[in-house]
Amino acid sequence: MEKRSFSKIVLALAGLLVGLVLAVFITGRVNPSASQEGASFNFSASNTGVADEVVEAALKTYVPPGKLDEYYLFASGGHSGNVFVYGVPSMRRIRTIPVFTKESSVGYGWTAETKEMLGNFTWGDVHHPALSETNGEYDGRWLFVNDNANSRVARIDLDSFTTKQILGPIPNIYGPHGAVFLTPNSEYFMMASRFAGPIPFGKYAPIEKFKDEYYCVLAAIAIDPENGNMSLAWEALLPPWSYDLSDAGKLVSDGWMFLTSYNTEEAYTLLEVNASQRERDYIVAMNWKMLEKAVQEGKYKEIGGAKVIDPRDVPGSTYLIPCAKSPHGVDVSPDGKYIIGNGKLSPTVTVFSFEKFMECIENKDFQGEERGFPIVNYDKVRVAEVEVGLGPLHTQFDDQGYAYTSLFVESAVAKWSLTDFKVVDKVQVHYCPGHLCAAEGDTVSPDGKYLVALNKLAKDKFLSVGPSHPESMQLVDLTSPKMKVLFDNPVDPEPHYAQMIKADKIKTFEVYPKDEQLEGAVYKKEDARVERNGNRVNVYMMSYRSRYYPDVVEVNEGDHVTWYLTNTDFDEDITHGFAICLYDINFEVQPGQTEKIEFVADKPGVYPFYCTNFCSALHQEMQGFLIVKPKDQQ
Amino acid sequence: MKNLIYGRLNTTGRVLFLLSAALLIASLFFPWWYMNLVAPQYPEGLPMTVYANKIGGRIDIINNLNHYIGMKEIQEEDFPELKYMTYGVSLLAFLAVLTALLRRNWLGLLTAGLGSAGGALGIYRLWYWLHKYGTELDPQAAMKIPPFTPPMIGTNQLANFTTYTGFGLGGYLLGIGILLMVLSLWRFRQWDEKSSSSASLPSSS
Ligand SMILES: [Cu+2]
């Protein structure tokens, strides 16, 4: 009996011990830092003279050390050719992504791959970033941007925040400013001409032939749903007006797209005056699904290497909606029911109903036609003209049924209701906002919360830096009934448009995976080598904290050198740089990455190379020599 | 003394041996020992975990860092025991099951003895490797540090790194398994048929 109970006790104890060990092990794995969480942030303003609302605003934008922002803001960098990434609400700039311009800080434009992507252009004019969408929601996979100067489009992969493809120049399109948007499932990235011109590129036509021999096009760039790869699918021919901006239909209006036009006067000099004569220009409404089908049926002509379709050959695909004088932005409401034209030269935004637009088409309720396109009856299709203020340019939306319109001339943002079309609030911004960007504000389900006004001028707002002042972005709080400017942020030239996405939608990777099949990659120092084949030399180099293998490379003057560098530090944030002194070569390799450069060793002598990106305590020792043997000593 | 060799295990003893076998097999799937290096720039820690047959964790990075102090690269090929330990433990578990089936005390003693000896050898080898890696440093290394032997369980400070070491779940399972065998042999034997029946009598009442 004694023995029996003893055994029970021992068994119970053994079981308990095993359970305990398991429990400790599992809790350790599940939540190792559980005890560190839950620290709250308390603040009490003790400075006299600081208004409560200032303290409140500061607290709303303050993101304490170690904490992360709630949103990513992707802002176009205009003619800098870059995209700037900010965290919201702190407005801290997190990253500059070079797209159309060489950027030595990350060695973009020297590697074989980036050099080829940039082609023969040294700059670009980034206008409109567009985040990829699935069912009208941002999916956080890619960011597309257009180049207004050189008719190109680029894709940035958001797993690495790097530019991965540049397509173009897209044939037949001069200055793709208008219609830069993605369709709700990222089927297409659309762009339309800002400038009319003879097509294809290079064709001559005297300016007096503007009305007859100058064209605009809308280019539909297809996006591979698997890898984001872009290719030109087709183009639609348009009258020689200037297309400014546009948006895709969504939900009920899916399949349509809406482009604003100016210069329907078809002037070709002094546009400031000559393109501002008509009381109304047009929103061009096009059914991209019909056009896509017509292209598949072969109703196109080949011009400049593009499949160009004339929408007049596809009846029912294209209509004109009259809109107050020189409209700038056109924005579709989140439910897809309203199309909002922003007046620019009129103090109103005009709200059109998609349903009534469809009725007009059905009843052939047209008030005329121009260049073969039916003009729908303005009085029927318009549901409201909202007096928002001077110089309305762009409209964004929140989750409460309100719209926000930037007022360039008035330097303000107007908030108005999509139910009764009345202005309910206005906030001053400084100065002259162009675009604005609300949190996920052009998707089918905006978040509200924050709005950023992208201002064209910022004089008096920051310490002077001489005659050219910075531009600015201002963060506006949307959480209370009255809009409030929370923060002023100086920015580099020049913000055009931005998109704001919830941070948790973006999934980055930190280290490139090891891939033995990768061209030029070496992962063991025994494999690092220099190979010669005639006058072509291949260098297979690896780097890890804080050395290169090999660290002395000798070539002959005149050799064509292909240089691979693999960073075998598979460790977060351990980037190595590589620069060859006096050879104008500079790039970097991210953890695990292999990069390739090509050059002709046309300068004899000794050229040190070194790591440019601080990597370790012995970073300064991370160096070596490129020795180029002169022709006469070979 | 004779009884020690010729005796038989009772039911509880047999259950304990079976349990021991299960724990030994389970230990193969969990780390036996771990080392975690924490530094300001590695707040998440750089773990190294030793399993019966492999080394897990961020060895590449630890090696990359260790080269500064001239420590030899840690690689699985250099540890012959990794090739045998799975078999050893499996054999031990097999013997434990066999003991439970045959109930022979001598077999239990052999198994527990082998287990204890193996455990002791394992602990010695762990100390040996710690000592070897910490003291045989390349005299040409960029950073000169005094040779050191990290503790098997505990913490150690080296430059900006704090090293935490200890046995993992697998190690504990293994230890408990061997202890259960010893316990079984110590308390749960029956000396002959008589004592066996007398022991079982009260339970039926
Ligand atoms: Cu380096």
Side-chain angles (χ1 to χ4, degrees):
Chain A
M1 180 167 184
E2 220 178 78
K3 214 169 179 180
R4 190 81 189 170
S5 48
F6 182 75
S7 74
K8 273 184 187 161
I9 290 164
V10 167
L11 268 177
L13 281 177
L16 204 65
L17 190 58
V18 172
L20 199 69
V21 172
L22 265 172
V24 169
F25 177 80
I26 287 165
T27 46
R29 287 289 140 124
V30 171
N31 195 1
S33 59
S35 56
Q36 292 164 24
E37 287 297 318
S40 68
F41 182 69
N42 291 307
F43 183 89
S44 66
S46 58
N47 287 349
T48 48
V50 178
D52 284 351
E53 59 171 359
V54 173
V55 174
E56 240 168 69
L59 284 178
K60 279 188 171 167
T61 61
Y62 184 66
V63 178
K67 298 287 173 191
L68 305 177
D69 278 298
E70 198 180 342
Y71 287 91
Y72 284 101
L73 179 80
F74 292 94
S76 61
H79 46 287
S80 75
N82 298 323
V83 164
F84 303 123
V85 186
Y86 298 83
V88 175
S90 74
M91 300 304 282
R92 294 178 292 204
R93 188 195 286 191
I94 302 168
R95 172 60 79 191
T96 298
I97 306 172
V99 183
F100 296 119
T101 313
K102 270 189 172 189
E103 173 57 60
S104 54
S105 69
V106 290
Y108 179 86
W110 284 269
T111 60
E113 187 196 359
T114 54
K115 219 171 169 174
E116 200 195 320
M117 265 199 315
L118 288 169
N120 294 318
F121 295 97
T122 58
W123 78 292
D125 192 1
V126 180
H127 267 258
H128 302 98
L131 286 160
S132 56
E133 294 178 18
T134 304
N135 299 324
E137 302 268 17
Y138 298 152
D139 58 25
R141 302 213 284 166
W142 308 299
L143 180 77
F144 299 89
V145 295
N146 64 324
D147 168 10
N148 183 62
N150 305 311
S151 304
R152 291 177 297 171
V153 49
R155 185 188 82 244
I156 295 163
D157 283 8
L158 295 181
D159 57 0
S160 62
F161 280 54
T162 52
T163 306
K164 285 293 178 187
Q165 191 192 0
I166 294 177
L167 185 72
I170 306 293
N172 308 326
I173 184 167
Y174 294 91
H177 187 279
V180 175
F181 64 85
L182 284 166
T183 51
N185 277 304
S186 303
E187 294 95 339
Y188 292 108
F189 180 87
M190 301 286 192
M191 336 195 272
S193 310
R194 171 176 168 189
F195 311 109
I199 58 174
F201 289 152
K203 184 180 166 185
Y204 166 78
I207 194 72
E208 295 76 22
K209 295 270 174 81
F210 188 87
K211 282 173 193 283
D212 303 319
E213 292 193 31
Y214 283 55
Y215 296 95
C216 286
V217 300
L218 171 119
I221 317 284
I223 294 161
D224 186 315
E226 286 308 306
N227 53 28
N229 197 51
M230 305 176 290
S231 56
L232 176 60
W234 46 269
E235 290 181 350
L237 214 55
L238 289 169
W241 308 336
S242 286
Y243 300 88
D244 203 351
L245 282 152
S246 56
D247 201 359
K250 48 191 105 163
L251 301 174
V252 287
S253 49
D254 187 18
W256 288 84
M257 54 185 166
F258 305 95
L259 295 62
T260 52
S261 64
Y262 61 96
N263 193 26
T264 54
E265 294 86 349
E266 300 179 16
Y268 48 82
T269 59
L270 196 62
L271 256 55
E272 180 190 324
V273 174
N274 294 332
S276 307
Q277 297 301 307
R278 281 183 159 190
E279 271 318 300
R280 296 229 166 92
D281 292 288
Y282 300 115
I283 289 173
V284 182
M286 307 179 87
N287 187 316
W288 60 264
K289 287 191 173 162
M290 282 177 84
L291 294 167
E292 178 187 58
K293 194 157 162 268
V295 172
Q296 282 161 4
E297 287 163 1
K299 290 186 188 157
Y300 60 83
K301 269 185 297 207
E302 194 94 11
I303 304 176
K307 294 174 179 171
V308 182
I309 190 156
D310 187 334
R312 286 169 301 192
D313 296 340
V314 190
S317 71
T318 305
Y319 298 92
L320 305 178
I321 305 171
C323 189
K325 205 166 183 170
S326 303
H328 192 56
V330 56
D331 300 281
V332 178
S333 60
D335 55 13
K337 286 183 181 162
Y338 298 117
I339 301 137
I340 291 143
N342 300 269
K344 191 165 95 178
L345 298 182
S346 112
T348 56
V349 292
T350 314
V351 182
F352 302 97
S353 153
F354 178 73
E355 198 186 334
K356 294 199 164 138
F357 168 69
M358 293 308 284
E359 276 169 22
C360 281
I361 294 174
E362 209 163 299
N363 304 332
K364 300 209 172 352
D365 197 345
F366 302 130
Q367 63 179 56
E369 72 164 49
E370 184 148 6
R371 280 191 170 261
F373 297 112
I375 306 167
V376 295
N377 190 333
Y378 178 75
D379 294 321
K380 287 280 171 57
V381 76
R382 175 215 59 199
V383 293
E385 279 173 7
V386 188
E387 293 263 347
V388 286
L390 297 178
L393 293 188
H394 300 281
T395 299
Q396 292 258 298
F397 306 94
D398 70 7
D399 54 339
Q400 310 285 322
Y402 291 103
Y404 300 83
T405 301
S406 57
L407 305 173
F408 183 86
V409 179
E410 207 174 308
S411 289
V413 174
K415 174 181 179 179
W416 53 278
S417 163
L418 283 165
T419 330
D420 60 9
F421 307 109
K422 295 245 162 61
V423 174
V424 297
D425 189 21
K426 239 182 216 189
V427 67
Q428 286 290 312
V429 295
H430 304 268
Y431 306 93
C432 301
H435 277 278
L436 35 67
C437 167
E440 308 218 343
D442 64 356
T443 67
V444 295
S445 64
D447 287 3
K449 276 190 120 157
Y450 301 111
L451 182 136
V452 172
L454 306 166
N455 305 326
K456 299 297 185 190
L457 303 171
K459 68 197 196 73
D460 314 334
K461 292 298 270 183
F462 305 102
L463 287 176
S464 173
V465 287
S468 173
H469 297 262
E471 274 87 58
S472 86
M473 296 198 299
Q474 287 181 304
L475 182 70
V476 178
D477 184 13
L478 301 185
T479 54
S480 44
K482 289 274 316 154
M483 286 182 284
K484 202 182 287 169
V485 172
L486 298 177
F487 195 73
D488 287 359
N489 203 40
V491 296
D492 279 346
E494 187 209 321
H496 283 275
Y497 184 38
Q499 295 212 307
M500 204 192 298
I501 178 175
K502 198 90 200 308
D504 60 15
K505 285 191 180 174
I506 288 185
K507 309 270 183 265
T508 55
F509 71 91
E510 310 290 342
V511 175
Y512 281 83
K514 195 170 184 172
D515 176 5
E516 304 278 1
Q517 305 304 313
L518 201 68
E519 180 193 335
V522 278
Y523 299 106
K524 285 197 225 89
K525 62 179 185 236
E526 298 81 50
D527 297 337
R529 65 198 186 273
V530 178
E531 271 173 10
R532 169 175 293 280
N533 183 7
N535 67 342
R536 302 188 76 89
V537 173
N538 281 9
V539 181
Y540 300 91
M541 183 186 259
M542 65 167 262
S543 67
Y544 73 84
R545 275 170 285 181
S546 337
R547 46 180 89 162
Y548 297 110
Y549 287 104
D551 55 2
V552 175
V553 173
E554 189 167 313
V555 301
N556 292 329
E557 184 185 351
D559 279 347
H560 182 105
V561 183
T562 304
W563 197 304
Y564 298 94
L565 178 60
T566 303
N567 178 354
T568 62
D569 271 298
F570 291 90
D571 193 3
E572 201 174 319
D573 206 20
I574 304 298
T575 299
H576 293 298
F578 183 85
I580 306 180
C581 297
L582 302 167
Y583 249 89
D584 195 34
I585 283 171
N586 158 50
F587 66 99
E588 54 180 42
V589 275
Q590 305 308 326
Q593 193 185 21
T594 300
E595 284 282 24
K596 171 186 170 184
I597 51 159
E598 288 187 72
F599 64 97
V600 176
D602 49 8
K603 286 184 284 192
V606 172
Y607 301 91
F609 56 77
Y610 67 100
C611 177
T612 50
N613 197 311
F614 210 105
C615 57
S616 70
L618 294 167
H619 160 76
Q620 200 70 359
E621 281 77 2
M622 193 162 172
Q623 62 188 52
F625 294 99
L626 166 67
I627 297 171
V628 183
K629 213 171 186 185
K631 278 216 161 86
D632 56 6
Q633 288 175 42
Q634 287 169 22
Chain B
M1 193 63 216
K2 212 175 161 193
N3 281 341
L4 203 63
I5 298 170
Y6 292 117
R8 289 163 71 101
L9 290 171
N10 68 14
T11 310
T12 312
R14 297 171 77 188
V15 168
L16 285 185
F17 259 85
L18 278 180
L19 188 64
S20 166
L23 291 179
L24 292 184
I25 294 300
S27 81
L28 297 176
F29 300 95
F30 297 99
W32 283 10
W33 186 80
Y34 71 89
M35 175 181 256
N36 194 23
L37 286 77
V38 178
Q41 67 272 43
Y42 289 101
E44 74 278 18
L46 291 174
M48 171 174 123
T49 43
V50 180
Y51 291 77
N53 62 342
K54 63 175 183 193
I55 300 175
R58 305 174 77 187
I59 299 294
D60 284 9
I61 297 167
I62 293 173
N63 280 336
N64 258 8
L65 295 170
N66 280 348
H67 88 263
Y68 288 118
I69 57 166
M71 190 184 279
K72 224 167 87 68
E73 261 193 35
I74 302 167
Q75 27 189 2
E76 280 182 9
E77 301 91 274
D78 293 345
F79 300 93
E81 40 272 88
L82 293 176
K83 292 193 198 80
Y84 307 119
M85 283 191 300
T86 308
Y87 299 113
V89 171
S90 304
L91 177 72
L92 217 53
F94 171 74
L95 288 176
V97 173
L98 208 61
T99 307
L101 290 177
L102 303 179
R103 307 176 67 184
R104 305 287 171 202
N105 227 37
W106 65 267
L107 190 58
L109 274 177
L110 178 72
T111 311
L114 279 177
S116 308
L121 182 67
I123 286 178
Y124 165 73
R125 288 296 282 180
L126 180 60
W127 175 85
Y128 168 80
W129 286 119
L130 288 172
H131 181 74
K132 188 174 167 70
Y133 274 90
T135 50
E136 293 181 9
L137 301 171
D138 184 347
Q140 279 203 317
M143 287 168 77
K144 295 264 182 299
I145 54 144
F148 65 105
T149 306
M152 252 178 275
I153 301 181
T155 59
N156 184 47
Q157 185 74 34
L158 182 68
N160 56 333
F161 279 94
T162 309
T163 309
Y164 299 90
T165 50
F167 289 100
L169 180 61
Y172 286 112
L173 292 177
L174 194 67
I176 293 168
I178 292 167
L179 277 178
L180 286 184
M181 288 192 234
V182 175
L183 183 76
S184 162
L185 293 166
W186 174 36
R187 293 296 306 212
F188 304 112
R189 284 169 292 134
Q190 50 200 37
W191 311 106
D192 48 46
E193 290 306 315
K194 224 182 223 170
S195 64
S196 157
S197 55
S198 71
S200 60
L201 265 176
S203 66
S204 59
S205 65

